[in-house]
Amino acid sequence: MNTNSIRFIQLDYLALKQSNIMFSPLNWFFICLLLIIFVKNKRWKHWISWLAIIILLVFSSPALFQYYARWWQPKPVELPEQSHYSFAIVAGGFGSVDAEGEGYFNSSSDRFLQAVKLYHSETVDHILISGGNSKRNSKNFSEGAWAKSEMTKMGVPANFIFVEDASDGTKANAANSKRILDSLHAQPPFVLITSAFHIPRAAKIFNKEGLQVLPYPCNYTEGRGPVSAKDLVPDFGVMIGWSKYIKETLWWIVKG
């Protein structure tokens, strides 16, 4: 692959990564259907039809989806008995805001629960809430402040919780977390808590920023259960779940 091709892929990825809909095989399938309708060239129509069939067969397979998730995600981590760490860094994104501007826990809430659990088991001394989705959801809602309030309700002292809510991506999470931890003279390694599908990318980014982290995957939404005969039956809905894995995998291809 030449330099121009690599540069094109990088620019293309950077342009698309802000929109998860571009990583959804379901959307790819519908785009193919539209092209089949409007493309006049019979040869192109033929190949696009085959592409649509391949996309449908591959990405609607629950079994393949489960196997890929199991391969991509690291296994749960059991921290050594009596182990002790100065900080747990918990990735934001587990809180959302409703129509009234009130925060609520979303499908990533296991990140929050694991952080509180590690504090109460005396495995970590402090919690750093890094980033969040407040900028995307509401200018008046801070996920970090809301999460800190919820943690104090669960018995974590407020002065043991630090918030970094200026980030809008994983790289910024790492850079801003490092700034805070350096200012506190915190001793590594730090426990990095985030969803299992996100751990490979997040851990690499944090390490590149100079933070020694111990990956602590959680929030497994697939890839843990057994694969049964019913998973051999195509399921149109499975195509939606692929987008996050495709996005994470493309980061590895582009960034290496």
Side-chain angles (χ1 to χ4, degrees):
M1 184 177 292
N2 60 41
T3 304
N4 289 335
S5 297
I6 294 173
R7 185 174 298 172
F8 172 79
I9 292 172
Q10 289 176 332
L11 291 173
D12 188 58
Y13 171 75
L14 291 172
L16 293 178
K17 75 174 186 176
Q18 300 300 325
S19 176
N20 281 340
I21 63 172
M22 296 305 296
F23 297 101
S24 172
L26 183 60
N27 290 329
W28 302 346
F29 177 72
F30 283 128
I31 289 171
C32 285
L33 293 184
L34 289 174
L35 290 174
I36 291 169
I37 294 172
F38 292 106
V39 169
K40 302 301 181 183
N41 186 293
K42 291 184 178 180
R43 189 172 184 180
W44 276 104
K45 191 185 290 283
H46 172 79
W47 286 112
I48 294 169
S49 298
W50 273 109
L51 178 60
I53 292 171
I54 292 170
I55 291 172
L56 181 62
L57 292 178
V58 172
F59 293 106
S60 67
S61 168
L64 183 59
F65 180 57
Q66 291 295 332
Y67 279 124
Y68 191 89
R70 186 175 300 172
W71 170 80
W72 176 260
Q73 297 174 146
K75 293 181 179 179
V77 171
E78 288 289 339
L79 297 177
E81 278 192 43
Q82 308 303 319
S83 58
H84 197 80
Y85 306 92
S86 61
F87 266 88
I89 306 171
V90 55
F94 52 80
S96 298
V97 59
D98 63 20
E100 285 70 44
E102 299 295 326
Y104 67 91
F105 289 104
N106 59 35
S107 59
S108 298
S109 59
D110 192 37
R111 302 179 186 184
F112 175 95
L113 295 175
Q114 294 300 323
V116 173
K117 173 184 168 183
L118 289 179
Y119 173 80
H120 283 303
S121 66
E122 299 184 350
T123 304
V124 300
D125 292 330
H126 306 86
I127 297 172
L128 170 59
I129 303 166
S130 181
N133 55 9
S134 58
K135 291 183 181 297
R136 293 196 299 273
N137 288 339
S138 171
K139 293 181 179 179
N140 300 317
F141 175 74
S142 168
E143 182 187 359
W146 170 81
K148 181 174 181 177
S149 174
E150 293 298 313
M151 283 185 179
T152 60
K153 294 175 185 177
M154 299 187 72
V156 182
N159 60 327
F160 284 25
I161 306 169
F162 294 81
V163 175
E164 179 283 294
D165 61 359
S167 303
D168 57 1
T170 307
K171 185 173 176 58
N173 289 156
N176 291 332
S177 294
K178 179 173 170 45
R179 176 179 52 79
I180 292 174
L181 293 170
D182 285 350
S183 70
L184 296 170
H185 304 289
Q187 294 300 309
F190 310 111
V191 181
L192 177 61
I193 304 172
T194 189
S195 299
F197 78 88
H198 183 50
I199 275 286
R201 180 165 71 98
K204 191 165 189 177
I205 290 174
F206 272 75
N207 284 322
K208 279 187 173 182
E209 286 293 325
L211 280 173
Q212 183 184 351
V213 295
L214 175 63
Y216 194 84
C218 63
N219 202 63
Y220 291 86
T221 53
E222 54 272 324
R224 289 287 302 276
V227 176
S228 62
K230 68 178 183 179
D231 292 317
L232 300 176
V233 179
D235 182 349
F236 210 59
V238 170
M239 299 178 77
I240 300 173
W242 274 100
S243 59
K244 61 187 180 184
Y245 290 98
I246 293 171
K247 180 179 179 180
E248 299 292 311
T249 304
L250 278 177
W251 184 91
W252 277 98
I253 295 172
V254 174
K255 298 296 185 180

